[in-house]
Amino acid sequence: MMRFLLLFSRQGKLRLQKWFTPMSDREKKKIIRDMTTMVLARQPRSCNFLHWKDLKIIYKRYASLYFCLAIESQENELLALEVIHRYVELLDKYFGNVFHHFPPFPFIQYTCVCELDIIFNFEKAYFILDEFLMGGEIQETSKQVVNRCIESSDMLQETMEEYMSKPAF
Amino acid sequence: MSDVVEKTLTALPSLLSLDSQPGSAKLSSTSKLGNLIRGITELTSKHEEEKLIQRELASIKEQVSSPNTSMRQMKELMVRAIYCESLGYEASFSYIHAIKLAQQGTVLEKRVGYLAVSLFLNESHELLLLLVNTVLKDLQSTNLIEVCMALTVVSQMFPKDMIPAILPLVEEKLNHPKEIIRRKAVLALYKFYLIAPNQVQHIHNKFRKALCDKDPGVMTASLHIYLQMIQENPEGYKDLTASFVTILKQVVGGKLPMDFNYHSVPAPWLQIQLLRILSLLGKNDQSTSEIMYEVLDESLRRAEMNHNITYAILYECVKCIYTIHPKSDLLEKAAKCIGNFVLSPKINLKYLGLKALTYVVQQDPKLALQHQMTIIECLDHPDLIIKRETLELLFRITNAQNVTVIVEKMLEFLHSNTDDYTTIDLVGKVAELAEKYAPGNEWFIETMNTVFSVGGDMMQPDIPNSFLKLLSEGFDTVEEDRKLRLFAVDSYVSLLQGEPGKLPQRFLQVISWVLGEYSHLREELEPATVMRLLAKLLDMKQTSSETKSWVLLAMTKLVRAGQVFQSAQEVSETYGSSMDTVLRQRAQELQHLSQDCELRARVLPQDAGLEPLEVDSSLSFLDGFVSEALAAGAAPYKPPHQRQEELAQAKALSLEPYGLSLPISMSSCSIADRQSPTLLSMSSGLSGDSTDLSHKGSSTTLKLDGVKRVWGREGYLAQREAVEEAAQVEVPSPLRSPSQQAEADSSHSQTPTPTPTPEPDQEKQQLASSLFFGLSSQSSVCLMGKSEPTPQRFRRKAKGQASSSGAAEQISNSLVSAPSAVDNFLCNNLLDSNITSQVGISSSEQTSELSQGPATTNGTCDTEAESTDGDIKGSNPSLIIGDNGLVAADPTPHKDPGSPKDFCLSSHLPAELSELCRSEITPLCSNQSLGLSACHVHKEDSLVLVVFITNSSDAAIRQILLDLDSEQLQVSCVSDSPVEDVTSHSVAMHQFSLTVKRPSVHVEVVGMVSYQLPVGTPQEVQFSYKLPLTSFIRPLTVSTEEYGTMWLSFSHDTKQNLTLISDGEEPLTATLNVLKEKLQLHIVEIIGMEGIIACQLLRDQPCLMHCRVHADVLAVWLRSPVPDLPDCLIYHCQRALQEH
């Protein structure tokens, strides 16, 4: 089971936080501090896995953003790395960054606009995450379905707003 | 009813297809949130940020409480409030409004409301109770999205006690026609199962229904619950094994819809979940394991694609195979798989390989032996995580023979480690190994010394406890025990004589206990000396009062000898008036016992460690007290289990709102209750129990509330206490006196550490043989006590193994030295491209296009090629066929201009330069007697600046001295012998080779000519010559793979959007071709809407470009190891495209 997911920038600024188990504010603050210092201190191209207390920390950098996922010790690290990757794909697909299903040049990480998108639309990033993970487990692995869910709610938003702006009948 | 909604939903996208791009206009740049965010990013100080946020919060606060604020505005406000909170500013006033928004808003507003609630509140927040009703309402809604949101929030955070209220509704959703609702319901139930398993006990059969759901997504979700339940009780679910196997078979066989594929691997998450379940079911169960062999084999076989996700599956497969009842051919395959992981150059896989080894090594120690050289390499890996995992692996293969080497490695790691958690863990492991396998007294005590000083005050308290226990109880012959204790005493005395201030408190406590107990064993050691050393500890500032009481106790034991009476008196006087009651008590004890020999002999008998103290466990001496209390009306004692039952009953009866406070208040308020009669009467039903609550732990010992338990079996008990001082631990190097050396058992003193040899690989082999010693033979696991050390045998064996591992070492060496640097790529490419350039078609027209081959490298091959092939190159000036076969032979603006002067000057160019592309010859300056002109010539590996000096006078000019300098460039003269004299009406030429020191958009060379006319004084002329950076750009031929490695290693980058050129051709290709022609770039590859380009700045300074067509612009991303280079280059790209 996943315990928490943090997104922070290269400067250590927190961009998104998701806690899958109850945690006091103090604990959260400490974890955020620990994670940013630990992950930011890592050399490039070293192992993506870390130990923190009894948890395993899986992190990956996409452009200027660090994705940092904590899992329990018996979980599969590589799979967690793919969870992060899938989330990035979902974000990219949603925010319309031309992220290819099979990027022609895989070493170029296309998520360059991601951080800004997430800063300005963080609530959307949370909604996408909620469709993707639920209660610390993967809920939906299909990219199409997740996006369909989000889009259908978005559509609803637009219709509702249109509806509301129409004169009453 | 929900069908209607469903239809509407599915119809919506087609109705609203006008806006097909979901991401469009997402960047709400004009919104208030956008403004706020932008405002914050512009600020420079934390103080300003605080001011801005406080202002923002004040305005939000005002607006949310205004009755005129619509829900829609509220949604916007809430998003801003979330943003402020995420920056660390409290916006607690908005919590209640978030709940209101979730309650009253329309779907979208509701969603923001729920999000705000889940971010603001935690599970125990009181406001959460207000949410229950909303959730209930939404669960019953006909709107699918509302139901989804409710289920999501329920699984995110829901008060435990309120689960029964919504459980029936969630259960009902398991039958919902929409699979997404069913799946979310299952996951919500899973969450309930985790936080309150007994609440969902009655619906286990429904879980089974979910498992059989026709939708694979719902089935996958139900596996989470099953994994959990099987973990707790594998026996109960054996009957499902066949079903799980069938599911896995179908998944692996690709029977699931394509939707479930992840990077063309079928449902990896589902596969891994199933593998984990199977390993739980098959553990220690042969018949169950047999059912799954086939599918495991197939999984191993199918997962062969080189993608992370298949490695994830493989790893899980291997784990499963090693967990269940073994089958030899599967084990073999799994072992091979682990080998692939371990040997992988990918660091993540290597890590997992080591982990897998750790996992299997207990069953199959030979596997570790196979990979010993890799393990040795990992031991020195720069990444601490890898190192740590390797130590973990070594810990598992430790035996009596290799313990010294492994412990040495662990201690080495400990010294460099900074993470507390790792230190605690590793220190515990070292202590465990030392206790199990210690080869000798000396080693044991020294290792434990390091453990205590490194582990400091963080380590598990049972380490010093069990160490002291080991010392006092002994484990071998009486003589051995005595030697061990003696050695400890000696070691500690020398430590205290050193710098005791640097030792951690725990260690000092151990030391003082040992000295108090055993220092008398060393007869030549004066008790006064020990006393003095201990007194020094008392005087140190950093000594905690807890340590002081240990010291005082040790002193009390020491006064046995009688001679130290005087100093004991002094100490007890000092501490007799201490503010610390424990210390004062110890001082009193010291005082009294030092005076009363008889009493002391009874209280602290010498060598009494082994006799157990008699404890009256029935506490019969309290009988009188109890009956008195009962007579006075106290409630009778109830044992803990009885109390638990009563509590449970009380809980079952009470309704939720009251149930909350019951268990919490009891233990905390028991003392306070008794002081206030009113409170007592209120909780009278509980007070009888509450006194007993504190007894829960052990009924045999008398334990009083609030009184520390300081005495135990080993004497004074260590207590966990937050020690204020930072544990500035430095490891003491235990000093050995000659007498101690002699004392130590001669057979033990030979520590089999490998002696360093000059050759590193020999060292490694030796290390390997000492690390993996005893693995090849049947390793006899020594469970308790010491094993025979047999150092002699160890040595002999080690040599034999060293030779056997020689081959492996060689291989790994060659791997290390394999070429990997970018330089090498370049060099290789150069050789290739030189060959091609010589067969190239000669072009009569002079173009700006240079040879495609990268013209620079390190090494001699380059200069040689230059000098010998000079002529050939001259006649075949350029080759313009790139790797991609595109021919760019357009005439360039740099053609020879026809001006006669230029022509006449250009005839002076040396032959090898005249055929190369060059700039116009521009006049720099002139006077009556002398004119200067210059041009630059693009050579493959350099830029040559040619300066012409024209003598327009009738006399010869002598002593011409030309001096060039530049801030951005490195200038070196290439002419063999600088021309000093120019005869009348003739031209002299100077050549300079230029390379870039610091990139800039334009670079400039300033120069000065000094010369001597036949008559008059020496004269000077100054000039400057400007040239664009593009003159220094050359194509860089790399393959896509090389490009990839380079890309990741470059740190300076810049991004820009360029305009696309579309003249008939495909825009991307057209644009890139223009850039290629004008700027001498090399197009590495174009795929679809993307292209990668490489070039280099003379010399050897690569710059990579990645271009992507995005809408109607070209998004360009440049990377280079050279600062400023990307910026300069992007400028020239812009110019080039504008000019086009």
Side-chain angles (χ1 to χ4, degrees), chain B residues 909-1104:
Chain B
L909 275 174
E912 78 263 21
L913 292 182
S914 62
E915 301 281 335
L916 292 173
C917 165
R918 61 173 169 84
S919 69
E920 255 177 77
I921 299 176
T922 42
L924 297 172
C925 63
S926 62
N927 55 23
Q928 302 90 332
S929 49
L930 174 128
L932 281 176
S933 327
C935 69
H936 53 271
V937 183
H938 296 223
K939 274 171 78 171
E940 235 180 81
D941 65 329
S942 64
L943 189 80
V944 178
L945 178 68
V946 186
V947 181
F948 300 94
I949 305 171
T950 318
N951 184 352
S952 49
S953 71
D954 297 328
I957 302 172
R958 296 183 191 285
Q959 291 174 21
I960 298 174
L961 210 66
L962 188 55
D963 193 24
L964 291 188
D965 191 28
S966 169
E967 275 181 34
Q968 304 101 349
L969 299 173
Q970 178 125 29
V971 185
S972 56
C973 189
V974 273
S975 313
D976 318 322
S977 55
V979 187
E980 290 188 343
D981 302 346
V982 185
T983 52
S984 165
H985 295 289
S986 67
V987 177
M989 189 198 66
H990 284 245
Q991 286 184 44
F992 297 90
S993 157
L994 305 179
T995 48
V996 179
K997 277 193 297 195
R998 223 181 49 223
S1000 148
V1001 173
H1002 289 285
V1003 289
E1004 198 177 25
V1005 184
V1006 289
M1008 194 176 72
V1009 190
S1010 63
Y1011 58 95
Q1012 177 89 55
L1013 286 169
V1015 280
T1017 50
Q1019 306 223 355
E1020 278 182 5
V1021 183
Q1022 288 192 338
F1023 63 90
S1024 73
Y1025 186 75
K1026 208 169 167 185
L1027 60 170
L1029 191 75
T1030 42
S1031 320
F1032 297 90
I1033 300 290
R1034 298 287 179 274
L1036 176 66
T1037 318
V1038 287
S1039 71
T1040 307
E1041 289 77 51
E1042 289 156 8
Y1043 185 100
T1045 6
M1046 286 162 83
W1047 178 269
L1048 292 176
S1049 62
F1050 293 168
S1051 49
H1052 298 278
D1053 64 348
T1054 191
K1055 288 171 198 163
Q1056 187 98 43
N1057 285 347
L1058 301 178
T1059 46
L1060 274 169
I1061 290 171
S1062 52
D1063 37 355
E1065 257 185 292
E1066 202 272 309
L1068 178 66
T1069 323
T1071 315
L1072 295 191
N1073 278 335
V1074 167
L1075 290 177
K1076 177 185 157 183
E1077 280 158 31
K1078 294 201 171 169
L1079 301 174
Q1080 316 285 341
L1081 310 174
H1082 168 62
I1083 301 177
V1084 181
E1085 202 173 355
I1086 300 178
I1087 303 176
M1089 299 310 271
E1090 286 170 43
I1092 51 178
I1093 300 180
C1095 68
Q1096 58 172 331
L1097 181 70
L1098 294 172
R1099 323 179 32 135
D1100 292 339
Q1101 298 180 323
C1103 184
L1104 305 178

Side-chain angles (χ1 to χ4, degrees), chain A residues 1 13-15 17-25 28-29 42 45-54 56 61 73-79 81-83 85-86 89 93-98 100-102 104-105 107-110 112 116-117 119-124 126-127 130-132 134-135 137-145 148-162 164, chain B residues 9 12-13 16 19 21-23 26-28 33-34 37-38 72 75 79 82-83 86 106-108 111-112 115 118-119 122-123 143 145 151-152 155-156 180 183-184 187-188 190-191 194 224 231 259-264 268-269 272 276 307-309 311-313 315-316 319 341 347-349 351-352 355 383 385-386 389 419 421 1040 1043-1044 1047-1049 1055 1085-1087 1090-1092 1106 1108 1110 1117:
Chain A
M1 190 181 148
K13 280 223 182 324
L14 191 69
R15 296 296 180 211
Q17 48 178 327
K18 188 83 188 173
W19 308 90
F20 297 110
T21 46
M23 203 91 71
S24 75
D25 283 348
K28 285 181 187 171
K29 281 218 172 76
R42 299 282 293 167
R45 269 175 297 162
S46 42
C47 194
N48 290 89
F49 315 135
L50 288 171
H51 295 260
W52 185 81
K53 304 218 163 148
D54 56 337
K56 283 191 292 203
R61 184 179 148 184
S73 57
Q74 74 275 11
E75 300 271 326
N76 192 316
E77 289 94 340
L78 285 176
L79 198 65
L81 213 49
E82 296 310 302
V83 169
H85 189 72
R86 176 39 63 102
E89 285 180 350
K93 188 135 196 282
Y94 181 76
F95 287 117
N97 300 339
V98 194
H100 303 259
H101 197 82
F102 294 105
F105 305 114
F107 42 85
I108 294 169
Q109 287 152 354
Y110 295 89
C112 41
L116 270 188
D117 279 334
I119 296 173
F120 281 98
N121 300 286
F122 62 89
E123 81 274 19
K124 296 275 164 59
Y126 276 113
F127 296 148
D130 281 339
E131 284 307 318
F132 175 47
M134 192 166 158
E137 299 289 353
I138 286 273
Q139 181 196 171
E140 179 57 69
T141 56
S142 159
K143 202 156 43 174
Q144 283 77 21
V145 174
R148 223 181 294 140
C149 280
I150 297 291
E151 273 165 40
S152 65
S153 341
D154 270 9
M155 289 300 181
L156 197 75
Q157 166 173 19
E158 279 149 38
T159 42
M160 284 284 183
E161 278 168 15
E162 267 169 39
M164 296 304 241
Chain B
L9 268 179
L12 275 176
L16 291 159
D19 186 8
Q21 210 188 355
K26 283 276 144 50
L27 220 67
S28 45
L33 175 72
I37 293 169
R38 229 167 288 114
R72 203 168 156 187
K75 174 187 139 202
V79 172
I82 297 175
Y83 184 76
S86 77
T106 57
V107 178
L108 273 181
R111 190 164 68 162
V112 173
L115 175 69
S118 68
L119 287 172
N122 59 23
E123 242 136 296
N143 187 330
I145 293 172
L151 287 171
T152 306
S155 70
Q156 167 74 22
I180 185 168
R183 195 176 53 210
K184 281 183 198 267
L187 280 171
Y190 165 65
K191 185 77 188 190
L194 286 181
H224 295 305
Q231 223 157 24
D259 251 9
F260 288 88
N261 282 10
Y262 176 80
H263 291 266
S264 61
W269 277 274
I272 285 173
R276 288 177 66 185
H307 189 277
N308 252 347
I309 199 77
Y311 287 122
I313 296 173
Y315 178 70
E316 210 61 46
K319 251 170 92 174
F341 273 92
I347 189 161
N348 286 346
L349 296 186
Y351 170 86
L352 285 183
K355 250 189 84 166
D383 195 339
I385 304 298
I386 301 280
E389 204 55 44
D419 171 39
Y421 194 81
T1040 307
Y1043 185 100
W1047 178 269
L1048 292 176
S1049 62
K1055 288 171 198 163
E1085 202 173 355
I1086 300 178
I1087 303 176
E1090 286 170 43
I1092 51 178
H1106 169 252
R1108 192 177 76 216
H1110 194 50
W1117 187 359

